[in-house]
Amino acid sequence: YNALLEMHRAGAPPNKVTSRDAVRACVESRDTTTLTKILDFFIAESYPSDAIAWSAGIKLCFLQDRTDTAEYIFRQLSSLRAPALTRDVRLYNTLIDGFGKRGSLVRALEYFGACLADPTVRPDVITFNTLLEACLRANAAERKSVGAKSRSVLRSMRRNDVRWDL
């Protein structure tokens, strides 16, 4: 983070590669606090960012049970417009996967719905497979509706012309 600030002060603005390296360093050191500082810095300065790196950052938040931070990162990234960040289906996939692995089908479905509604991304086979896995991991309170939700996911796959990969 300090290196990014120094680059900024020296008039050498960070680019996507620098962004990726900074996020990767936070992920490797498991530092979500600095991760959010970097995000806020990039947003404040409208610096370019990398969706793939931020997806890894969101995954780190889930690994540390910091779902609030994962959602904060996603919301902040979603508020950006090109060229700062090209939104990517991987961001949605990471959130669907994170909530699915925690047994929260409702939250996974919320992000799936947001993915379908987002005109800048298209769900892919990973999106659907991740959501089907979330159906399998649903907590006890959600199990009653899993069958119907699974069928709904499969119908959505057909509508989006995504081949089954089960």
Side-chain angles (χ1 to χ4, degrees):
Y1 176 70
N2 291 333
L4 291 173
L5 290 177
E6 288 303 315
M7 288 176 69
H8 174 72
R9 289 184 195 122
N15 57 29
K16 278 191 176 187
V17 173
T18 313
S19 162
R20 189 177 318 128
D21 290 344
V23 172
R24 187 177 299 142
C26 290
V27 169
E28 289 173 3
S29 65
R30 300 187 175 277
D31 184 356
T32 55
T33 301
T34 303
L35 185 70
T36 56
K37 281 184 185 178
I38 290 170
L39 174 64
D40 292 339
F41 171 68
F42 272 74
I43 289 171
E45 300 300 328
S46 298
Y47 286 142
S49 197
D50 182 73
I52 297 169
W54 287 111
S55 182
I58 291 171
K59 186 174 184 175
L60 169 66
C61 294
F62 278 108
L63 289 172
Q64 295 183 347
D65 290 324
R66 301 215 32 213
T67 57
D68 57 332
T69 304
E71 290 183 293
Y72 172 79
I73 290 170
F74 180 80
R75 279 192 312 274
Q76 293 295 89
L77 292 174
S78 295
S79 71
L80 295 175
R81 297 291 175 251
L85 175 75
T86 302
R87 282 188 285 184
D88 192 295
V89 71
R90 288 178 208 128
L91 295 172
Y92 287 101
N93 291 349
T94 304
L95 283 159
I96 293 167
D97 183 56
F99 283 112
K101 285 181 177 171
R102 273 151 194 73
S104 180
L105 180 58
V106 170
R107 298 305 310 251
L109 285 166
E110 286 173 8
Y111 281 101
F112 175 68
C115 181
L116 291 176
D118 188 333
T120 66
V121 299
R122 183 169 181 210
D124 59 14
V125 70
I126 296 169
T127 310
F128 291 101
N129 284 344
T130 302
L131 190 55
L132 289 171
E133 287 176 21
C135 290
L136 294 174
R137 288 189 177 99
N139 65 39
E142 297 173 318
R143 286 187 210 270
K144 291 180 182 176
S145 62
V146 167
K149 289 178 181 171
S150 297
R151 287 187 296 280
S152 172
V153 171
L154 294 173
R155 282 192 301 276
S156 186
M157 288 176 78
R158 263 181 281 180
R159 278 195 307 274
N160 284 281
D161 199 30
V162 174
R163 302 184 108 213
W164 295 9
D165 183 22
L166 303 173

